């Protein structure tokens, strides 16, 4: 069976934390994924975020997988988590909610490298038939439309319907959960991809603060 003959197996990566922008972008990615029969939403991170991801996925008729972890990883670490989940699900096409958080954009390229797939970013519209994805990509003022066959990681920037507010999600009983070991990842090794803690700037010594204050009022000498 060739890549053109195979049915599309799709997963949508929602990331490791709630959107910093409107939840419409999360909903837009889920709505795009819902066009693909059998697509699965994947999220990782804290329990409250997994509950929200499962709740929004269920509203669009999607199954949802959660990877509970307290690790705080960089984009390469989270890409490893999603790549492991995609292998478990047999997904060859990965949609990424690229608009909700800025780090998602970098995860598209990392995922493509880890899964040996093509990559496409800034996609604003998706359609599909049995074996082909039709993607429209915004490039400046231009709109490119292309047909995609084979393994691909697609960063989507599609807004869902406008909503004023959404109810607080309850813990999901239907969410399937993977731990890191089941994804072939060693938590101790993956921890090397942890983000370093933010360091506060060192406090100035008293003499330095006095010097800084006086420097503002000192008239520079001629010829200096």
């Amino acid at each position: 069976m060739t890549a053109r003959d195979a049915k599309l197996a799709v997963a949508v990566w929602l990331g490791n934390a709630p959107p910093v922008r409107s939840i419409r972008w999360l909903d837009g990615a889920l709505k795009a994924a819902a066009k693909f029969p059998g697509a699965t939403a994947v999220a990782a991170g804290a329990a409250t975020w997994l509950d929200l991801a499962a709740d929004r996925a269920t509203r669009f008729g999607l199954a949802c997988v959660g990877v509970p972890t307290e690790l705080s990883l960089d984009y390469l670490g989270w890409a490893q988590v999603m790549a492991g989940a995609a292998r478990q699900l047999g997904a060859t096409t990965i949609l990424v909610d690229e608009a909700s958080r800025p780090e998602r954009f970098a995860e598209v390229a990392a995922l493509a490298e880890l899964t040996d797939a093509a990559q496409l970013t800034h996609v604003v519209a998706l359609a599909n038939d049995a074996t082909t994805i039709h993607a429209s990509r915004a490039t400046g003022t231009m709109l490119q439309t292309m047909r995609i066959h084979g393994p691909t990681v697609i960063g989507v920037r599609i807004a869902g319907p406008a909503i004023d507010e959404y109810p607080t999600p309850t813990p999901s009983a239907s969410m399937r959960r993977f731990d890191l070991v089941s994804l072939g990842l060693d938590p101790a090794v993956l921890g090397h991809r942890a983000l370093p803690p933010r360091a506060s700037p060192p406090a100035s010594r008293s003499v330095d603060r006095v010097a800084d204050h006086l420097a503002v009022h000192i008239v520079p000498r001629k010829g200096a």
Side-chain angles (χ1 to χ4, degrees):
M1 181 180 292
T2 66
R4 287 175 177 261
D5 296 327
K7 289 186 178 180
L8 295 170
V10 177
V12 54
W13 171 232
L14 305 179
N16 65 290
V20 293
R21 301 176 65 190
S22 167
I23 200 170
R24 291 182 62 191
W25 299 100
L26 173 64
D27 286 352
L30 290 166
K31 185 176 181 180
K35 297 179 180 180
F36 301 90
T40 301
V42 182
T48 52
W49 159 232
L50 298 185
D51 292 339
L52 173 59
D55 178 75
R56 304 313 294 182
T58 300
R59 292 172 185 269
F60 288 93
L62 292 175
C64 191
V65 164
V67 185
T69 178
E70 295 181 358
L71 290 174
S72 178
L73 305 174
D74 62 11
Y75 73 96
L76 289 170
W78 292 120
Q80 290 182 55
V81 172
M82 179 54 199
R87 285 191 293 269
Q88 283 286 91
L89 296 169
T92 55
T93 300
I94 301 173
L95 309 185
V96 178
D97 174 17
E98 188 182 82
S100 284
R101 299 181 68 93
E103 60 266 30
R104 291 294 92 76
F105 179 78
E107 289 169 12
V108 174
L111 272 167
E113 182 174 351
L114 288 169
T115 58
D116 196 24
Q119 64 168 303
L120 194 64
T121 59
H122 293 82
V123 170
V124 296
L126 282 174
N128 68 290
D129 52 37
T131 60
T132 306
I133 298 174
H134 305 269
S136 296
R137 178 178 185 267
T139 57
T141 59
M142 305 270 301
L143 191 66
Q144 298 176 333
T145 300
M146 54 198 71
R147 292 185 297 176
I148 301 170
H149 301 279
T152 315
V153 181
I154 304 172
V156 297
R157 296 172 180 255
I158 302 172
I163 56 173
D164 295 327
E165 59 180 352
Y166 56 91
T168 301
T170 58
S172 173
S174 61
M175 172 182 271
R176 186 178 174 190
R177 286 173 167 79
F178 293 152
D179 59 26
L180 295 175
V181 174
S182 71
L183 300 181
L185 299 171
D186 184 335
V189 174
L190 191 62
H192 291 294
R193 297 256 41 114
L195 292 173
R198 292 185 178 181
S200 57
S204 299
R205 294 177 299 172
S206 297
V207 65
D208 293 332
R209 292 199 297 269
V210 172
D212 291 341
H213 175 73
L214 291 177
V216 177
H217 303 284
I218 294 174
V219 179
R221 290 179 301 174
K222 291 183 178 180

